[in-house]
Amino acid sequence: GRMKPVIVVHGGAGRIFKEREEGSRAGVVRAALRGYGILKQGGSALDAVEEAVRSMEDDPHFNAGCGSVLNEKGEVEMDAIIMDGKNLDSGAVSAVKCIANPIKLARLVMEKTKHVLLTDRGAHLFAQGMGIPETPGEKLITERSRDRWKKNLEPDSNPEEFQKDLGTVGAVAIDSEGNVACATSTGGLSNKLIGRVGDTACIGSGGYADNRSGAASTTGHGESIMKVVLARLILYHVEQGMTPEMAADTALDYMKTRVGGLGGVIVVNSSGDWAARFSTKQMSWATVKDDKLHYGIYAGERHTKSVDEALAAESEGF
């Protein structure tokens, strides 16, 4: 049976500062429209989520790719994952430096190696072997990330305060064949220890996709997400018969009560029902289903436009 394709994207859960709201909204909408364009032409969920995430990695408004936060030494170290719900194939990279699109590298790990996760120097050598051009580290660093890093170095600073503005990006989709996929990418935590790996690169935490239940991508406090294996937990609830929204809320609530962690998730199930839920103050998200675009940032906020109307606005530059 032909499924109606659906894509859902998130641009990170946390606190989105006023002056960044417009850019965050525009960025998730653009990513969702790009991913949907692929699905609409009969493309795969895998290609759609990769393209949506690549679009946000290239957008300096998000903490992924260009615009990533800096570690304690002032460098960008990025994590990414992609997963195919058809056969549970997955590829991930962690602590990668000097490449523009970690999600592309994660896809190559999935397709060109027998492994799931490559890290740091190994990921770097693999990228070279695959002919991925190096991007000088400075090119990925925005003035905002540099300023924040400096502030966090001050003796009386509280990096935790800034963690609230996280900006991990992700996408989930179901294509016309009924295959699901997820993709997640991040620059991690500001001023993190060198070599810190968060939830994003870990199967079941940063993302999970299985045609039998659906796909999920997460954002929020990585260490908390890992402790409850959040993405897999959500799909477990879906398997137990919960709607995506209920499954997401139940899992987020468990993470909050059990380990005090806040975050956000996007989910699509095998029937094409979707949810975008968060326990943080905000999360930028967008989805396209039945040629209708929905998007928001605040709890309860939901704008709706036809895809044609959104694409027209897009070409005028919002």
Side-chain angles (χ1 to χ4, degrees), residues 188-210:
L189 288 179
S190 188
N191 296 61
K192 62 190 178 179
L193 295 181
I194 285 180
R196 177 262 188 186
V197 178
D199 64 296
T200 301
C202 303
I203 285 198
S205 293
Y208 201 80
D210 182 347

Side-chain angles (χ1 to χ4, degrees), residues 222-286:
E223 282 72 11
S224 299
I225 290 170
M226 290 161 98
K227 288 172 189 174
V228 302
V229 198
L230 187 61
R232 189 65 189 84
L233 180 60
I234 291 162
L235 293 179
Y236 165 77
H237 289 313
V238 169
E239 285 157 13
Q240 301 301 301
M242 286 190 190
T243 62
E245 187 159 312
M246 222 179 134
D249 286 350
T250 304
L252 283 168
D253 193 52
Y254 176 72
M255 183 167 83
K256 192 173 172 179
T257 52
R258 189 72 179 87
V259 294
L262 301 180
V265 301
I266 50 173
V267 196
V268 65
N269 70 10
S270 51
S271 344
D273 305 316
W274 62 273
R277 309 291 292 168
F278 46 100
S279 52
T280 50
K281 231 182 153 137
Q282 290 144 294
M283 179 179 80
S284 53
W285 63 273

Side-chain angles (χ1 to χ4, degrees), residues 46-228:
L46 208 54
D47 286 345
V49 295
E50 181 186 0
E51 174 56 31
V53 165
R54 195 192 58 74
S55 155
M56 291 183 284
E57 284 177 340
D58 291 345
D59 186 330
H61 282 95
F62 303 107
N63 172 18
C66 174
S68 287
V69 298
L70 310 187
N71 67 13
E72 55 174 355
K73 288 280 187 283
E75 301 164 327
V76 165
E77 283 188 322
M78 300 166 293
D79 300 342
I81 194 169
I82 193 164
M83 190 166 182
D84 183 348
K86 190 165 40 190
N87 47 18
L88 305 190
D89 276 354
S90 184
V93 292
S94 78
V96 297
K97 299 184 180 79
C98 303
I99 65 164
N101 297 110
I103 200 64
K104 276 194 160 138
L105 191 56
R107 173 95 185 245
L108 287 169
V109 170
M110 176 173 92
E111 291 179 346
K112 306 285 186 203
T113 77
K114 294 190 176 83
H115 308 309
V116 163
L117 173 57
L118 290 182
T119 189
D120 203 350
R121 185 163 163 269
H124 179 72
L125 292 171
F126 175 66
Q128 279 180 330
M130 287 287 126
I132 289 190
E134 253 186 67
T135 302
E138 299 74 73
K139 275 242 166 73
L140 298 173
I141 297 176
T142 57
E143 209 175 316
R144 174 171 171 267
S145 298
R146 168 96 57 209
D147 289 349
R148 174 199 277 193
W149 172 70
K150 285 197 183 121
K151 271 206 187 84
N152 286 347
L153 287 180
E154 291 164 11
D156 56 351
S157 84
N158 175 12
E160 289 302 304
E161 242 328 278
F162 289 96
Q163 292 328 351
K164 297 192 176 95
D165 183 21
L166 284 165
T168 293
V169 305
V172 295
I174 187 165
D175 59 30
S176 54
E177 303 288 306
N179 292 315
V180 299
C182 71
T184 313
S185 180
T186 190
L189 288 179
S190 188
N191 296 61
K192 62 190 178 179
L193 295 181
I194 285 180
R196 177 262 188 186
V197 178
D199 64 296
T200 301
C202 303
I203 285 198
S205 293
Y208 201 80
D210 182 347
N211 280 6
R212 292 179 186 181
S213 47
S217 169
T218 66
T219 165
H221 186 244
E223 282 72 11
S224 299
I225 290 170
M226 290 161 98
K227 288 172 189 174
V228 302

